[in-house]
Amino acid sequence: MRPLLEVNQLKIAFATDKDEVVSVEEVSFTVNSGETIGIVGESGCGKSVTSLSIMGLLGKNGQIKNGHILFGDEDLTKVTEQRLREIRGNEISMIFQEPMTSLNPVYSIGNQMVEGIKLHLKMSTRDAKEYAIKMLDKVGIPRAREMMKEYPHALSGGMRQRVMIAMALACKPKLLIADEPTTALDVTIQAQILQLMQTLQKESETAIMLITHDLGVIAETADRVIVMYAGQVVEEADVFTLFKEPKHPYTQGLLASIPHLEYENEQRLVSIPGSVPSVKHMPKGCRFHTRCPFAEPHCQQEQPELASIQEGHKVRCWLVEKDPLKPVVEKPKEESVR
Ligand SMILES: Nc1ncnc2c1ncn2[C@@H]1O[C@H](COP(=O)(O)OP(=O)(O)O)[C@@H](O)[C@H]1O
Ligand SMILES: [Mg+2]
């Protein structure tokens, strides 16, 4: 079966005052109908830029320099702005970390929902209103009919995010892109929202692209995981393989930084030393070599390709490619604590 979305060798640059910076390069992945794909990586790794490019929302400084974004029969890097607008809201929806940036503060919840539904589903005002109430009810908004009259600022963060999900799913999109949808919420609400997204997903076969820096969220929701580092995909695997046999030292580092229950007494939390290189100063060779505990001279010289090491498991690392059958990379030594 053909994937729903196929991102191929994507390269994105932003024009700055003086020159141009490349923020995403050689990014390839696919999303199948009905699946949840997790995209994980520290802040600044290119997760949002990748998702905005799919929606055609890079802004006027951003430009797709290379690659294709195939969605059905169309290449979204080539379609008109008009067509992109049709696709957004109808076929691909997006929810963001801070719903206030996408909810309009001067219109009531009902007004915003009804307008969107009328536009995309070509319903009458009355039908759109009833449908909006049904959607609000579905996402667990109490007294949905009265809530239609409220303005976004009157709602809590969790409720606003529910409204966003109701709006995003109202048009039954084929793909929902959720960029850090629960980061601003407390843990209990976070779990509720993720569960809600999954329930609605099952009903409508919507594929979800879930972007997060939190591997805990990934473990609970994703079928497949893409790990991004410094604007590139460094590892891809199904969720079980990724947690059980992470091959890229960056993925291993991310996993080691999840607080484990058994470490609670010792307060031990390994973190990856250093930080993500800036797009202006990308290191030569493997982009992770400056932080990698296993880096060899070769890693500083030449960039590894994203290579398949097993069905469905890809890694961008010289050390792994050397011997695909054995986990060459062992657990990092105690290089940092707390
Ligand atoms: N509008 C922009 N202009 C210039 N650089 C940008 C712009 N948006 C993002 N970037 C750069 O692209 C890189 C990736 O950013 P982003 O996709 O937001 O990371 P993430 O979502 O993984 O935290 C960062 O280095 C960021 O500074
Ligand atoms: Mg982001």
Side-chain angles (χ1 to χ4, degrees), residues 1 40 49 87 106 166 207 231 234 258 266 285 293 316 321:
M1 202 178 63
V40 70
V49 167
I87 290 171
V106 303
V234 295
I258 303 180
E266 302 164 56
R316 190 189 285 277
E321 267 179 290

Side-chain angles (χ1 to χ4, degrees), residues 43-44 47-49 97 179-180 211:
S43 184
K47 307 183 297 296
S48 294
V49 167
Q97 175 177 337
D179 192 351
E180 309 262 4
I211 296 165

Side-chain angles (χ1 to χ4, degrees), residues 108-232:
S108 69
I109 300 296
N111 228 318
Q112 301 186 46
M113 286 197 72
V114 168
E115 282 315 305
I117 292 166
K118 271 168 67 181
L119 181 71
H120 292 297
L121 297 183
K122 314 262 182 292
M123 283 186 184
S124 68
T125 306
R126 180 194 280 193
D127 288 349
K129 194 175 165 201
E130 289 309 311
Y131 183 58
I133 294 167
K134 203 177 97 189
M135 284 309 295
L136 288 179
D137 196 47
K138 226 179 199 174
V139 298
I141 303 249
R143 297 174 293 106
R145 194 170 290 273
E146 286 110 273
M147 205 56 103
M148 294 278 282
K149 300 188 196 94
E150 295 288 359
Y151 286 80
H153 62 81
L155 273 61
S156 68
M159 283 296 153
R160 281 203 286 261
Q161 202 54 295
R162 279 167 199 261
V163 171
M164 277 310 300
I165 294 176
M167 283 169 73
L169 293 176
C171 303
K172 297 200 176 28
K174 295 193 186 110
L175 175 65
L176 173 68
I177 302 177
D179 192 351
E180 309 262 4
T182 57
T183 303
L185 305 172
D186 75 49
V187 180
T188 329
I189 310 284
Q190 194 170 319
Q192 286 173 10
I193 297 275
L194 292 173
Q195 205 163 32
L196 172 68
M197 277 172 38
Q198 286 185 301
T199 311
L200 296 172
Q201 174 184 39
K202 285 208 188 78
E203 283 176 21
S204 55
E205 269 291 294
T206 300
I208 297 180
M209 220 172 108
L210 180 71
I211 296 165
T212 176
H213 61 267
D214 186 342
L215 270 170
V217 167
I218 294 280
E220 272 170 50
T221 43
D223 302 310
R224 228 149 34 85
V225 190
I226 306 280
V227 182
M228 284 190 73
Y229 183 75
Q232 295 182 320

